[in-house]
Amino acid sequence: MKARRVFRVGERALLVELGSGTETEAFHAELLRRRAGGALPAVREIVPAARTVLLDGVDAPNLLAGQLREWTIPPLHARVERAVEVPVRYDGPDLAEVAALWGVSVETAVRIHAATEFRVAFCGFAPGFGYLTGLGEQYQVPRRATPRTAVPAGSVALAGPYTGVYPRSSPGGWQLIGSTDVVLWDAAREPAALLTPGARVRFVVESVERR
Amino acid sequence: MTDRAVAVVRAGALTTVQDLGRTGYAHLGVPRSGALDPGAARLVNRLVGNPEGAAVLETTVDGCAVRPRCAVTVAVGGAPCPVAVDGRPVAWGTAVRVGAGALFEVGTAVRGLRAYVGFGGGIAVDPVLGSRSTDLLSGLGPAPLADGAVLPLGVESGVRGPVDAPPWPGPPDELVLRVRLGPRDGWFTREALHTLATRAYRVSPAGNRIGLRTEGPALERALPGELPSEGMVLGAVQVPPDGRPVVFLADHPTTGGYPVVAVVREADLAAAAQAVPGTPVRFVPLR
């Protein structure tokens, strides 16, 4: 296992670098657990990402950095709450291409995606956009060579090890496999984001439509 | 609609509603946003008797003009600029009483870029996630001002803070940005770090509320390949593939994939927000 590294970031932040995505998720879960239990000094933002967790707005960063290096992190255990269910019309313009990259039929590709239990590894790109992990390594697909200038809101997409759902129309280079009507982001809702870091997610087949 | 409101007569190049920003949501992809020159926003609020976090207008270069529907106390700070009521010049940097229906004009900045207009009671648009700030990256908060728009005002406190000689640091002739190297300085060559610390950069005209772009010698990477996306802080000096440093300002993305060579001290970012294109920039690494 690669050693955990802790970097100072400016005057008031720390970046903790972990050896893998799974370790990162476990470390993030431990941070939240300790914060909820009052065992973490005040931190304004805790931002998990692919291999790192950023702690911003820390009063004594050097002191905390020393502690973070020493922590023993329990393995990630299954969360007890129900998975968020996202009904999907598998009708994306890149669905056939993704199935071909996987070497399976469109129907099988849909079955694989909908049978996977995903987890929100981290958020970013736009409010409410979650990077979902869970697909096996053999199902990684490259980004499109030329990004689309406008991806419709609700598009379900794949790139690298991640699945994501676009909360609003935006440019994007991911492979589009389907669409959903669920509202990913509503600032008037608590929480505003449907998919928050650490949440479990399942995609439910509403229909399959070749394009 | 209540008459505690201002109508926008001339929106200007880019005028937005700003307070001190929305924190605590970076993990959901929500930028902090907020006034780029928060000291100026705080000060105009004190001048008109508001709490320092009340929402103000942030103009860009050419000011704006509004017509209050009620008598209201107004103060303009940040970038020095002419201020007029019904065409008559009034003082900049101090509270002015403006009558209902009068035309309140903020002119083009004489120096600097961004002026702040504080109204007694503050701009009272509905907050989103605890802030009234316009976030241009993700589209949260009120839209940038448009001619004809009407903005609600809060109730004036009637109590103005003691501000005799407000300390206005003038916009800089040279922008000195003190930085702490890292977290990804190891991704750059020693020569690149020497270049960053010793060579002159200039403020590029391509900057915006998301980042201050610079022109100057490119910083060469020591490591090839891509950095997995990671969390970004205010003041991060991100280096895209062209090698020209970008300093992240209030509307910066919460995660990013280009290496951050250094982070600018927060105290130096207000000057960055006021530096006009062409201003010389020096990065000064601190031990």
Side-chain angles (χ1 to χ4, degrees), chain B residues 101-266:
Chain B
L103 182 67
F104 186 82
E105 292 176 274
V106 179
T108 297
V110 179
R111 303 183 62 212
L113 286 179
R114 294 175 167 101
Y116 291 82
V117 191
F119 298 88
I123 306 283
V125 295
D126 288 337
V128 176
L129 300 177
S131 166
R132 297 182 165 89
S133 289
T134 301
D135 163 8
L136 294 176
L137 183 73
S138 52
L140 298 182
L145 261 55
D147 294 354
V150 176
L151 298 169
L153 294 177
V155 177
E156 289 195 67
S157 70
V159 183
R160 277 186 261 153
V163 188
D164 291 333
W168 296 111
D173 294 322
E174 180 189 38
L175 184 59
V176 177
L177 299 176
R178 292 167 293 172
V179 299
R180 173 188 274 273
L181 288 179
R184 299 298 178 187
D185 50 322
W187 279 58
F188 296 88
T189 62
R190 288 176 62 89
E191 293 72 33
L193 298 180
H194 185 71
T195 298
L196 179 75
T198 56
R199 300 278 295 278
Y201 285 83
R202 283 179 315 282
V203 175
S204 154
N208 53 26
R209 282 187 46 86
I210 296 167
L212 173 96
R213 291 176 179 276
T214 64
E215 295 167 343
L219 300 181
E220 195 194 338
R221 289 254 292 260
L223 295 179
E226 279 190 57
L227 180 71
S229 202
E230 62 190 26
M232 292 285 141
V233 300
L234 183 69
V237 183
Q238 216 194 33
V239 183
D242 72 4
R244 267 83 190 184
V246 178
V247 179
F248 273 172
L249 302 179
D251 288 358
H252 72 85
T254 59
T255 59
Y258 296 134
V260 170
V261 67
V263 178
V264 176
R265 290 184 62 143
E266 198 164 332

Side-chain angles (χ1 to χ4, degrees), chain A residues 8 19 24 35 38 40 52 61-62 64 70 80-81 86 104 107 115 123 137-138 186 191 196 203 205:
Chain A
R8 280 285 304 268
T24 306
R35 181 161 73 171
L40 187 70
T52 56
N62 283 337
L64 183 59
E70 300 302 316
V80 287
E81 71 264 39
V86 178
V104 299
E107 287 71 20
C123 297
E137 264 184 41
Q138 68 274 33
D186 176 358
T196 56
F203 294 97
V205 185

Side-chain angles (χ1 to χ4, degrees), chain A:
Chain A
M1 188 194 293
K2 199 169 115 185
R4 186 184 314 155
R5 296 204 291 170
V6 182
F7 299 92
R8 280 285 304 268
V9 180
E11 299 155 284
R12 306 236 303 146
L14 295 170
L15 187 73
V16 186
E17 186 180 74
L18 291 307
S20 70
T22 311
E23 282 176 49
T24 306
E25 289 183 50
F27 189 83
H28 176 238
E30 179 68 5
L31 273 171
L32 297 189
R33 199 183 64 76
R34 293 198 186 211
R35 181 161 73 171
L40 187 70
V43 176
R44 197 176 54 232
E45 308 274 6
I46 296 179
V47 187
R51 293 284 184 277
T52 56
V53 182
L54 173 75
L55 295 93
D56 194 8
V58 180
D59 280 334
N62 283 337
L63 182 67
L64 183 59
Q67 295 167 359
L68 295 176
R69 286 188 189 98
E70 300 302 316
W71 281 9
T72 305
I73 306 300
L76 202 60
H77 49 85
R79 304 234 304 201
V80 287
E81 71 264 39
R82 285 185 57 211
V84 178
E85 295 198 342
V86 178
V88 181
R89 295 178 296 272
Y90 283 90
D91 59 359
D94 304 327
L95 178 59
E97 197 176 317
V98 167
L101 284 165
W102 289 358
V104 299
S105 68
V106 163
E107 287 71 20
T108 304
V110 168
R111 207 154 48 230
I112 290 166
H113 192 255
T116 302
E117 175 151 320
F118 291 91
R119 183 190 297 274
V120 182
F122 61 99
C123 297
F125 172 66
F129 187 89
Y131 291 79
L132 312 185
T133 53
L135 275 177
E137 264 184 41
Q138 68 274 33
Y139 300 125
Q140 296 200 10
V141 294
R143 289 164 202 241
R144 294 181 58 79
T146 310
R148 290 184 169 87
T149 53
V151 172
S155 294
V156 179
L158 305 180
Y162 302 116
T163 290
V165 187
Y166 286 79
R168 58 179 191 147
S169 176
S170 57
W174 290 27
Q175 311 271 4
L176 308 184
I177 60 168
S179 54
T180 179
D181 294 329
V182 300
V183 177
L184 275 295
W185 176 261
D186 176 358
R189 184 173 63 190
E190 177 54 40
L194 180 70
L195 309 180
T196 56
R200 292 159 58 216
V201 185
R202 297 196 81 100
F203 294 97
V204 178
V205 185
E206 209 169 62
S207 62
V208 181
E209 204 179 298
R210 287 167 178 279
R211 283 221 208 158

